[in-house]
Amino acid sequence: MRWNFYKKSAIYVARRAKVGSANKIKKYGFWGLIFFVMIPLPGTGVYAGSIATYLLKISKPKAFWANTIGITISSIFVWVTTYLSM
């Protein structure tokens, strides 16, 4: 049962990543993937970015660096926002 749930969840995220942002990621490539990963919203993170790179056939080293840079920028943005709201 737990694998079936994971499979359904992964397919849902893959469809969302492909339908919602495939054109922008494909058009802008590396920079589009960074922007997609750095948006601090549910469903736009490294997991969805990794699935999008697989579906759009982006090379692994490019995807790794785009995800790393995107999540770092997102983390800094969330930290600054949280720090300033105190």
Side-chain angles (χ1 to χ4, degrees):
M1 182 173 163
R2 76 177 178 199
W3 294 111
N4 192 25
F5 173 74
Y6 176 77
K7 183 179 178 182
K8 287 181 183 180
S9 299
I11 290 172
Y12 172 76
V13 171
R15 283 186 183 150
R16 184 173 171 168
K18 188 171 184 179
V19 171
S21 59
N23 293 336
K24 292 176 185 145
I25 293 174
K26 202 159 200 145
K27 181 178 178 183
Y28 296 108
F30 180 77
W31 297 105
L33 184 59
I34 289 175
F35 186 73
F36 177 72
V37 172
M38 80 174 204
I39 299 172
L41 293 172
T44 61
V46 174
Y47 186 69
S50 298
I51 292 173
T53 57
Y54 174 75
L55 294 174
L56 298 174
K57 296 180 178 32
I58 298 174
S59 68
K60 288 181 183 180
K62 259 188 177 177
F64 172 77
W65 286 112
N67 284 331
T68 302
I69 294 167
I71 200 66
T72 301
I73 294 170
S74 177
S75 299
I76 292 169
F77 178 72
V78 170
W79 175 75
V80 168
T81 306
T82 305
Y83 184 76
L84 293 177
S85 69
M86 294 175 145

